[in-house]
Amino acid sequence: MSSTESELPESLPDFRARARAWLASTPPPEVPPDPDTRFTVLRRWQRTLFEAGWAGLAWSREAGGGGLTHAHHLVFVEELVRARAPQPIGLIGLEVVGPSIDRYGTDRQRRELLPRLLSGDDIWCQGFSEPEAGSDLASLRTRAVADGDDYLVSGQKIWTSWAHQAQWCALLVRTDTAVRKQAGISYLLVDMTSPGITTRPIRQMTGDQEFCEVFLDEVRVPRQNLLGAENEGWAIATHTLGSERGAATLRRRVELEVALDDAVDELGARGSLDGRARSAIGRAHIAMRVLDAQTRQTTARLLANTGPTPLDSVDKLVLNDVEQTVFAEIAGLLGPLRAVPGSRPAGLRSERWAHDHLYSRAASIYGGSAQIQRTIVAERLLGLPRG
Ligand SMILES: Cc1cc2nc3c(=O)[nH]c(=O)nc-3n(C[C@H](O)[C@H](O)[C@H](O)COP(=O)(O)OP(=O)(O)OC[C@H]3O[C@@H](n4cnc5c(N)ncnc54)[C@H](O)[C@@H]3O)c2cc1C
């Protein structure tokens, strides 16, 4: 039984056993290669998880969540990955944008938006980056001008993952041009069906079209869709980026561990565990032990609810390096190393490794590039002079 607000939360061992039993009795879906079908299947999977009470475990009940702790959430993520079950499709909502709406949203925003986000009825995207504002995000130029009870929003975003499939967007806009650039930014929650929004998917080297250009032409956004106060969006954006770095690191650690185990099994089945393979697996395992050590601190911070800190940048850097090392080692052994045209490959595991190896190159770019994370570490953790 799950706990109620007045009871102590279910013990973690009991919770783990319950999660494991549910996953054993609920076969996870096969992930199809065609991106549109895959999207539909993973969205349905998100609904299955939600209806069974596994979505948003650490979120409040009012928001549609489980009212449990971050520790319960981490246990479930671990069991999900170990069961070789796919992640739900709405990870940007679940891990990135949702926590900021929960923290900074009005009661109405939380009540109306969060349950639909958890169930996958609404898929969210994150409209932060622009063609001239990626690393230097605070330079963003998409303008929002007050017009009665609305804002009129015009500009362009880029690299917006899932924008072509999303119902909602967490959009950073400039609402004041006369002040320091961080001080003139606001955070809007935008209905993607609003007139004036055009999305244009961009194909990645994996063959997927995961992200888009987004064009906004005098898009009318109700003022009540402002998250937090006008011109105070920068602090909320920092919270969103911190959530992206923290929770994703812990999930990714288990995913990498499982990927490495599966690769070793596959090499064994092929009779290919020769000296070269053993050396490569050894290097990948050493990288994983570094990630393990790092994520122990990440877990402690998450459980202590410290919120975003510059230490998140250390997590991200370690994860980038380990992810790229593990997939490069695996793909080097299991290849073929080639771009996959058209769609994500299915079936052949060796093609999955190629896909994941190619995708791992993005890890040191999305959520803030490795160079930028190193600058954060240098200036904010080590106190080195600004360059
Ligand atoms: C797979 C993927 C998914 C993404 N999804 C989203 C999304 O959903 N929403 C969203 O808003 N964005 C998304 N992004 C965009 C991502 O956040 C940006 O690509 C990233 O912040 C870098 O910005 P940029 O691409 O404009 O590169 P630039 O900022 O132009 O940087 C180019 C290079 O110069 C380096 N550089 C720039 N400035 C400095 C500096 N001051 N010091 C040292 N080096 C510097 C960078 O490290 C980088 O190597 C995604 C990116 C990828 C790859």
Side-chain angles (χ1 to χ4, degrees):
M1 291 288 289
S2 60
S3 63
T4 65
E5 303 279 356
S6 56
E7 293 167 348
L8 281 177
E10 186 177 11
S11 81
L12 289 180
D14 286 354
F15 176 79
R16 188 183 292 280
R18 185 163 65 86
R20 207 170 273 180
W22 184 83
L23 285 162
S25 66
T26 313
E30 286 292 322
V31 181
D34 164 60
D36 289 338
T37 323
R38 184 181 355 138
F39 183 85
T40 308
V41 165
L42 294 182
R43 195 175 190 181
R44 205 178 304 133
W45 178 232
Q46 182 163 341
R47 172 159 283 283
T48 304
L49 294 170
F50 175 73
E51 285 175 350
W54 302 112
L57 286 163
W59 293 26
S60 66
R61 299 227 165 162
E62 180 199 11
L68 292 169
T69 67
H70 286 298
H72 291 85
H73 170 69
L74 293 179
V75 165
F76 185 72
V77 167
E78 195 177 329
E79 291 301 322
L80 188 76
V81 175
R82 290 199 197 290
R84 275 53 175 181
Q87 294 297 323
I89 194 69
L91 280 183
I92 291 185
L94 293 165
E95 289 185 348
V96 182
V97 176
S100 295
I101 300 177
D102 199 18
R103 162 105 186 253
Y104 296 96
T106 60
D107 285 348
R108 187 192 64 83
Q109 288 168 342
R110 297 170 68 238
R111 207 178 43 245
E112 289 183 5
L113 298 173
L114 292 179
R116 292 180 58 82
L117 179 157
L118 287 173
S119 66
D121 284 334
D122 289 343
I123 301 300
W124 280 75
C125 63
Q126 179 191 3
F128 284 20
S129 307
E130 297 184 2
E132 302 300 326
S135 301
D136 185 13
L137 184 59
S139 296
L140 62 92
R141 289 193 297 206
T142 294
R143 281 296 311 274
V145 180
D147 184 52
D149 288 339
D150 300 329
Y151 289 103
L152 280 181
V153 180
S154 294
Q156 190 199 332
K157 297 289 170 178
I158 194 167
W159 317 124
T160 320
S161 299
W162 304 110
H164 55 315
Q165 312 262 33
Q167 281 70 47
W168 285 89
C169 181
L171 192 79
L172 291 187
V173 293
R174 185 156 301 286
T175 34
D176 191 340
T177 51
V179 291
R180 189 174 62 90
K181 55 188 182 179
Q182 284 85 352
I185 291 173
S186 299
Y187 196 124
L188 291 179
L189 307 175
V190 178
D191 180 343
M192 289 295 282
T193 61
S194 311
I197 300 182
T198 311
T199 58
R200 196 158 68 193
I202 304 169
R203 192 177 297 283
Q204 294 156 257
M205 68 175 168
T206 54
D208 288 342
Q209 294 188 351
E210 177 191 292
F211 48 34
C212 296
E213 292 175 286
V214 179
F215 302 91
L216 303 117
D217 182 13
E218 304 226 315
V219 177
R220 204 162 268 285
V221 180
R223 272 175 180 260
Q224 63 181 9
N225 286 12
L226 181 68
L227 186 66
E230 188 175 274
N231 294 326
E232 290 181 14
W234 186 250
I236 309 178
T238 306
H239 181 267
T240 302
L241 291 169
S243 304
E244 179 172 9
R245 287 167 201 155
T249 304
L250 296 170
R251 170 174 51 75
R252 209 66 192 125
R253 184 193 71 74
V254 195
E255 287 173 347
L256 291 175
E257 197 177 291
V258 166
L260 190 53
D261 285 350
D262 287 353
V264 173
D265 286 352
E266 183 165 338
L267 282 162
R270 288 184 188 188
S272 304
L273 278 172
D274 57 11
R276 189 174 79 92
R278 284 161 198 263
S279 299
I281 293 163
R283 287 192 293 272
H285 266 290
I286 290 166
M288 283 302 299
R289 297 293 75 79
V290 174
L291 183 60
D292 285 349
Q294 181 61 30
T295 50
R296 251 174 247 133
Q297 296 180 28
T298 320
T299 309
R301 290 203 308 279
L302 195 72
L303 298 185
N305 261 329
T306 56
T309 94
L311 288 166
D312 297 328
S313 295
V314 180
D315 288 353
K316 186 161 192 299
L317 284 165
V318 174
L319 178 64
N320 294 166
D321 284 351
V322 172
E323 176 155 356
Q324 290 174 356
T325 301
V326 167
F327 283 121
E329 297 292 1
I330 295 175
L333 295 170
L334 287 168
L337 262 182
R338 59 180 173 77
V340 186
S343 67
R344 183 177 180 151
L348 281 179
R349 270 175 162 189
S350 56
E351 293 202 339
R352 191 188 102 195
W353 307 129
H355 175 280
D356 290 352
H357 173 50
L358 292 175
Y359 194 82
S360 74
R361 302 313 304 169
S364 46
I365 303 172
Y366 56 67
S369 74
Q371 289 83 353
I372 297 302
Q373 306 310 315
R374 286 193 199 101
T375 300
I376 293 173
V377 171
E379 292 176 357
R380 297 202 214 147
L381 282 180
L382 304 179
L384 298 181
R386 287 176 179 266

